[in-house]
Amino acid sequence: MEIRKFNLEKHLKKIEAFLREQYIENNNMTSWLPERLHDLIYRMDTQYIEKGKPKSSDYIFFWEDKNEIVACILPDGDAIYMSIKKGYEELYKLMIEYSEENCIELFTKDEDGTVDFLVIANDSLKYRQEILKAKGYKKQVEEDYDNYVNPQETDVFIDLPDGYKLLYGDDYNNESNKWSACNLGFHPDLEDPNYENNMSAYNSRKASSMYKDSFECLIIDENSKERNNVCSYCFVYVDVESKTAFIEPVSTREKYRHKGIGTAMMHGVMLKCKELGIEKCYVNSYDWRKKFYNAAGFITEDSIGFWHKKI
């Protein structure tokens, strides 16, 4: 058994293949999708660099048995996730210890020099919870959720108020408006008709090999007099090999919420995925967003615990 540190040029395809195999074997999100790995490398890492934080992909480690990947540590900012092949569950305790030693630089130190080390574990994987408890981790009350929809089995339609229109990325070429609207959805305190953000994270996704198969979906306000008339926006990563899609990020600007616009956009995603032959489309959620996705037609597949320990 060997432990290796991830190198983008050498190991991306190999990690991709491992995550894809885990999904196909389990048919659920107890392992990351390859799409989520691409989002981390080609979007989130750019945001981390701009904020002066270390890149998560520099702290990916994987275990090989006879030159075959059997497990990997997948950091996501200040959180650690682990993907393990069936039959190798005994590695989990070792992987926690290894991540505590080798991934601690991803976490911000408190005044006393300690860090709040965070490990994420699907609730359906009971053995992980027992090991985390034994190692002194405590689970927070709030959880995350994996939600999915089968586009081929859905029968939805676009229902929008007058004056609003659903478009896919290629139909709307103002990239600054699209990404700014997404950021404003998450940060309504920045709401300003002339707001523009740094476009590097938006543009960095284009380096992903999945970009050509992926798509944007958005809603515009055709009657808006603002320079930015995008109301709701999402990006959908598509992996043609597994016939899966992963939506990240999703946002509706605060003043356009509670009008059915976000639901219409999700239905637009489902229709496009159906057209592309996607068999399962995923989105992660927390707090009230779970109810939103469920109301739009997504089914909650699993809950995910956040486990903390002071180190």
Side-chain angles (χ1 to χ4, degrees):
M1 188 82 67
E2 293 186 72
I3 305 173
R4 300 185 185 277
K5 185 173 182 177
F6 175 75
N7 177 282
L8 181 61
E9 293 183 1
K10 293 181 180 179
H11 304 133
L12 177 58
K13 291 298 181 184
K14 196 166 187 176
I15 294 282
E16 265 185 39
F18 169 72
L19 295 177
R20 189 176 292 118
E21 288 165 6
Q22 298 317 297
Y23 170 76
I24 291 172
E25 180 177 357
N26 300 309
N27 195 34
N28 60 39
M29 271 279 282
T30 50
S31 180
W32 274 17
L33 292 174
E35 297 98 302
R36 186 169 183 181
L37 178 68
H38 274 244
D39 183 58
L40 178 79
I41 293 170
Y42 295 107
R43 181 179 69 95
M44 293 305 299
D45 270 358
T46 302
Q47 293 183 358
Y48 297 146
I49 291 170
E50 290 176 349
K51 293 177 181 177
K53 296 181 178 181
K55 293 193 302 181
S56 294
S57 61
D58 285 342
Y59 295 85
I60 295 174
F61 298 91
F62 58 95
W63 276 249
E64 284 189 323
D65 186 9
K66 299 177 182 177
N67 204 37
E68 176 190 1
I69 297 179
V70 295
C72 57
I73 292 172
L74 299 164
D76 187 356
D78 56 352
I80 304 296
Y81 188 80
M82 295 157 199
S83 180
I84 304 174
K85 183 180 176 67
K86 285 182 179 177
Y88 289 86
E89 289 84 357
E90 74 279 358
L91 287 175
Y92 190 61
K93 182 179 178 181
L94 171 64
M95 293 173 74
I96 292 173
E97 294 168 354
Y98 193 89
S99 64
E100 290 175 353
E101 182 177 346
N102 292 279
C103 300
I104 198 164
E105 292 179 17
L106 288 168
F107 296 81
T108 302
K109 286 186 178 180
D110 293 332
E111 291 183 1
D112 61 0
T114 64
V115 303
D116 179 15
F117 203 81
L118 172 60
V119 175
I120 298 175
N122 290 71
D123 289 345
S124 62
L125 301 175
K126 302 297 184 184
Y127 77 94
R128 298 192 183 191
Q129 299 182 53
E130 296 306 314
I131 292 173
L132 287 164
K133 287 177 185 177
K135 293 194 68 60
Y137 283 81
K138 294 184 178 180
K139 185 181 180 183
Q140 73 179 48
V141 175
E142 298 82 7
E143 292 193 302
D144 206 344
Y145 302 91
D146 289 333
N147 310 282
Y148 75 91
V149 69
N150 297 114
Q152 303 306 317
E153 299 174 8
T154 61
D155 185 17
V156 296
F157 60 93
I158 309 302
D159 184 18
L160 280 168
D162 291 341
Y164 293 88
K165 186 176 182 180
L166 182 140
L167 299 170
Y168 297 104
D170 293 341
D171 300 321
Y172 187 93
N173 57 17
N174 190 319
E175 296 187 332
S176 177
N177 276 2
K178 288 186 284 190
W179 191 241
S180 293
C182 179
N183 275 10
L184 291 170
F186 287 115
H187 305 288
D189 55 309
L190 299 175
E191 185 71 47
D192 184 310
N194 299 311
Y195 172 80
E196 285 191 20
N197 69 308
N198 190 321
M199 293 291 293
S200 55
Y202 180 94
N203 290 322
S204 65
R205 294 179 302 188
K206 298 174 184 177
S208 166
S209 60
M210 291 184 180
Y211 188 81
K212 60 182 174 53
D213 300 308
S214 303
F215 64 92
E216 296 169 301
C217 188
L218 60 146
I219 306 289
I220 63 168
D221 179 356
E222 295 185 295
N223 296 322
S224 173
K225 293 185 175 17
E226 291 184 8
R227 185 172 58 88
N228 189 344
N229 67 340
V230 179
C231 314
S232 194
Y233 170 90
C234 70
F235 189 77
V236 186
Y237 291 87
V238 173
D239 178 29
V240 294
E241 292 189 47
S242 64
K243 296 183 179 180
T244 60
F246 180 65
I247 312 172
E248 179 64 36
V250 182
S251 178
T252 298
R253 292 167 70 182
E254 189 173 50
K255 64 182 176 180
Y256 289 108
R257 293 174 186 171
H258 309 297
K259 300 177 184 290
I261 290 171
T263 296
M265 183 175 69
M266 289 295 101
H267 288 174
V269 169
M270 295 177 198
L271 291 173
K272 187 68 170 178
C273 285
K274 189 172 187 175
E275 175 187 326
L276 295 173
I278 300 301
E279 295 178 353
K280 216 165 182 182
C281 179
Y282 280 92
V283 65
N284 287 124
S285 66
Y286 55 95
D287 54 59
W288 60 266
R289 291 171 178 83
K290 173 177 175 287
K291 294 181 180 178
F292 164 70
Y293 292 123
N294 290 166
F298 284 79
I299 299 168
T300 298
E301 180 178 81
D302 203 352
S303 54
I304 304 167
F306 296 89
W307 295 80
H308 297 263
K309 179 182 176 181
K310 282 283 188 180
I311 296 180

